Amino acid sequence: MLKVEQAFKLPEGTEVSLRGWVYRIRKLGENKIFIVLRDVTGTIQAVVVKENVPAHVWANAEKLYHESSLTIKGTLKEDERAPGGKEVQVQELSPISIGEPFPIHKDQSEEFLLDNRHLWIRSRKMTNIFKARHHLINYLTEYLHSKGFYRFDPPIITTAGAEGGADMFELDYFGQKAYLTQSSQMYGEAGIFALERVYTLAPSFRAEKSRTRRHLAEYWHLEPEAAFVDWEENMQIQEEMVSYAIEQFLQNHPDLVEFFGIKDLHKDVKPPFPRLTYYEAVDLVNKLGGKMEYGEDFGADEEALISSQYNKPVFITKYPKKIKAFYMKEDPNDPELVLNNDMIAPYGHGEIIGGSERIWELEKLKQRIKEAGLKEENYKWYLDLRRFGSVPHSGFGLGIERFVKYVLNLDHIRDAVPFPRTVNRVYP
Ligand code: 4AD
Ligand code: MG
C-alpha cells in the first residue's frame, strides 16, 4: 500500500494501491466517477470509468459518500487537468466502510463546525494545523534537550494554586477538595533539586470567564525551570527557544509554511529580542495613543500597540510586584518591581510567555505569601524547597496554543488545539 505523496513521485503507467477516505466525489455523465482520495500525506484524483471496471466496482463507487473509507488499485496517468498533474485510473475499488452521508458541507456555521469538531478535524486546514503543532512542540523541546533540560511530568490534580489560587476548577477528590492545576511551575521547581534543569509539558486549567480569541479554559503549557539561572539568562533561553523552533519549522516544512502563508511574517526571529521595561512599555502605549497609568496591567489592546512597533517578539521586564504572582523575586534596585518578563508576540497575538526569577529564600517567600493574602499552610511543601538546600533559579511558561496561533497566524486560539475547552464549550 502506498501513500498519496509517494504515488505522485512514480512515473505514468505504474500500478498503485492506495487507501484512505473520499475527500470529494463527483459523477460525470452516466459512466464516470471522479473520486479525490485523501490520506495523511495529501489527496489524489482517481477516475472510475464504467466500461473499464467489473460491474461490482462500479456499483460500489456509486454508493460512496464524502468521507467513506476505501482502498483503490489502478494505474497512474499524467493528466494536466488533475490536481498535482496525475490521476489514478481505477481497476479495483473496495469500500472499507461506506457509512452514512457526512454531515459537514460547505458554508456551515462556526458553531456547527465546533459541534462537529470530531469530524471537522479531518479538514485540510485542521490537519495542517495539527501537523504544524506536532513539529513546533518537537522543536521547542529539542532546543530544551540540547540545553540539558529533562522532561519532568507533573500531576494534574493538585491542592494549592500556583498562580495564587483564583480561577481554579474545583473537584471532589475522595471527599477532599482538590483542583485542576493552573500551572505546573511549583512541581518544576521541586524537580530542579533533582535534575537541575527540567520542563513540564502538561495541561493547565483556568476557570476565568474570558471570552477572547486567546483564552482557553484548558491549554497545554510548556514550563521550563532551571537552577542557577538568573532572570536575564532566563530570557536568553526563551528567545533562543522561540527563535530555534520557528526557524526549524520554516526550514523543514515549506509545504506547511506555504499553506499558512507565513514566510514573510517570520523573516527576522533571530535573538536578541527587544527588551522594554514595564515603565518604558507603559510610556510607549501612551505615546501610541493608548491610555494607561503606571501600576495597571497591559490588556490585549495595549499589547497590540506595543507589538505593532516590532516584527519579532518583544520582552517587557520588571513589572510592579503588585500585579504579578507572589513567587517572583524582587528587583534589588527597586523592591516595588520584580525580576520578571512577559514575551509579547508581534501581529497582535499578545503574550506568549510569562517568566521570572523566583524567590529562593525561605523568610522572603513567607513574607510575600502573607502580603499576597495567601495561606502559608497551603504552601507547606513549596516552602520546604527553600528550607533544604535552596538555590537561585528561574523559569517560564509558554502557552502552546498561543505559540501555534502566533507562528501560523491563526485568527482564534481554539483552532490551535484539536478539542478546545472555552467558557461555553466542553463538547465534543
Ligand atoms: O502568565 P501565566 O499565567 O504564568 C504562569 O502560569 C507561570 N506559572 C509560568 C511559569 O513561570 N512557569 O501563563 C503562562 C503562559 C502565558 O504567557 C500564555 O502563553 C499561556 O500561559 N496562557 C494561556 N493560554 C491559553 N489560555 C489561557 N487562558 C492562558 N493563560 C495563560
Ligand atoms: Mg502572564
Side-chain angles (χ1 to χ4, degrees):
M1 206 64 71
L2 287 177
K3 288 285 162 206
V4 165
E5 192 177 60
Q6 296 171 309
F8 270 113
K9 292 186 184 136
L10 297 170
E12 180 165 53
T14 314
E15 192 162 277
V16 295
S17 294
L18 297 162
R19 75 180 152 208
W21 293 265
V22 175
Y23 184 68
R24 266 200 285 276
I25 184 159
R26 177 167 64 94
K27 197 168 174 186
L28 193 72
E30 281 309 303
N31 67 341
K32 260 189 187 171
I33 295 175
F34 286 94
I35 298 167
V36 178
L37 178 133
R38 161 179 80 75
D39 72 12
V40 64
T41 64
T43 58
I44 191 165
Q45 177 166 293
V47 200
V48 191
V49 180
K50 195 172 180 181
E51 297 84 58
N52 299 347
V53 295
H56 72 276
V57 167
W58 178 257
N60 276 333
E62 278 197 303
K63 285 186 212 145
L64 293 171
Y65 297 118
H66 176 204
E67 288 301 320
S68 294
S69 51
L70 75 166
T71 61
I72 59 169
K73 194 166 148 191
T75 312
L76 279 177
K77 176 152 186 293
E78 296 199 5
D79 187 332
E80 52 190 32
R81 288 164 304 177
K86 279 196 185 118
E87 66 180 20
V88 181
Q89 301 199 306
V90 173
Q91 285 137 16
E92 279 173 37
L93 179 157
S94 335
I96 301 168
S97 169
I98 291 175
E100 300 178 22
F102 199 60
I104 300 181
H105 319 288
K106 260 201 183 134
D107 303 325
Q108 268 158 330
S109 73
E110 199 60 41
E111 273 313 289
F112 182 87
L113 296 178
L114 285 164
D115 285 338
N116 288 280
R117 187 74 165 189
H118 51 298
L119 304 175
W120 178 236
I121 53 173
R122 303 176 188 193
S123 66
R124 191 193 296 247
K125 178 172 174 199
M126 287 291 131
T127 304
N128 280 340
I129 291 173
F130 303 136
K131 284 180 183 171
R133 177 184 164 117
H134 163 86
H135 295 306
L136 287 169
I137 292 176
N138 254 348
Y139 295 131
L140 291 168
T141 55
E142 196 170 273
Y143 171 81
L144 293 172
H145 299 160
S146 80
K147 296 290 166 184
F149 285 80
Y150 286 93
R151 176 166 175 151
F152 184 70
D153 293 325
I156 302 301
I157 302 173
T158 66
T159 51
E163 291 304 295
D167 302 327
M168 303 217 287
F169 289 106
E170 193 178 307
L171 57 105
D172 175 2
Y173 190 76
F174 306 115
Q176 183 191 339
K177 246 190 217 178
Y179 306 89
L180 295 179
T181 190
Q182 284 178 304
S183 158
S184 300
Q185 176 190 322
M186 294 163 87
Y187 294 98
E189 285 186 69
I192 62 163
F193 293 95
L195 298 164
E196 296 198 18
R197 290 179 169 218
V198 301
Y199 70 88
T200 55
L201 178 51
S204 281
F205 300 85
R206 305 282 165 110
E208 49 188 342
K209 296 211 163 119
S210 301
R211 290 167 218 267
T212 75
R213 292 174 173 271
R214 56 169 82 166
H215 284 87
L216 293 167
E218 175 183 28
Y219 70 94
W220 283 79
H221 204 172
L222 175 65
E223 296 184 274
E225 193 73 31
F228 312 114
V229 164
D230 68 11
W231 71 292
E232 288 186 290
E233 192 184 347
N234 193 40
M235 285 197 285
Q236 270 168 31
I237 296 170
Q238 293 166 47
E239 64 193 353
E240 283 179 13
M241 180 185 81
V242 163
S243 165
Y244 178 84
I246 296 176
E247 290 200 321
Q248 290 295 310
F249 184 71
L250 293 183
Q251 229 174 67
N252 300 328
H253 307 282
D255 47 335
L256 293 171
V257 170
E258 188 182 326
F259 181 85
F260 292 103
I262 53 174
K263 197 166 168 198
D264 289 344
L265 291 188
H266 303 304
K267 262 198 206 111
D268 176 19
V269 288
K270 288 228 178 317
F273 295 168
R275 286 152 166 74
L276 298 176
T277 64
Y278 169 83
Y279 289 122
E280 287 166 345
V282 173
D283 291 346
L284 181 61
V285 167
N286 288 323
K287 196 182 114 196
L288 295 172
K291 212 166 164 7
M292 238 186 121
E293 311 245 348
Y294 291 141
E296 289 175 356
D297 206 351
F298 307 98
D301 293 344
E302 290 75 29
E303 284 175 359
L305 280 176
I306 296 164
S307 69
S308 71
Q309 304 301 296
Y310 307 94
N311 58 4
K312 55 174 154 181
V314 46
F315 285 116
I316 304 177
T317 67
K318 295 194 176 179
Y319 283 60
K321 76 177 171 197
K322 281 208 185 74
I323 57 172
K324 284 291 173 187
F326 69 91
Y327 51 70
M328 295 186 179
K329 189 175 165 67
E330 279 170 10
D331 180 359
N333 300 320
D334 183 348
E336 290 311 307
L337 305 181
V338 283
L339 297 179
N340 81 315
N341 72 271
D342 277 357
M343 186 193 286
I344 312 297
Y347 318 120
H349 290 288
E351 178 194 331
I352 51 175
I353 290 183
S356 75
E357 189 164 335
R358 321 302 192 189
I359 298 173
W360 64 284
E361 307 94 328
L362 179 63
E363 287 314 315
K364 191 79 213 166
L365 186 58
K366 278 186 177 173
Q367 181 198 325
R368 284 293 294 137
I369 286 175
K370 207 166 162 187
E371 281 169 16
L374 302 168
K375 289 195 198 128
E376 198 180 302
E377 74 220 43
N378 286 343
Y379 296 91
K380 193 169 170 301
W381 71 256
Y382 187 61
L383 286 164
D384 269 356
L385 306 179
R386 276 70 180 168
R387 219 170 244 127
F388 306 107
S390 188
V391 294
H393 62 283
S394 300
F396 62 93
L398 170 137
I400 294 290
E401 290 79 11
R402 293 254 182 112
F403 184 61
V404 170
K405 177 177 183 286
Y406 154 51
V407 178
L408 304 183
N409 201 28
L410 304 178
D411 287 339
H412 203 295
I413 195 170
R414 66 180 168 228
D415 284 339
V417 64
F419 296 98
R421 296 290 176 251
T422 53
V423 179
N424 35 22
R425 180 164 295 279
V426 57
Y427 172 95

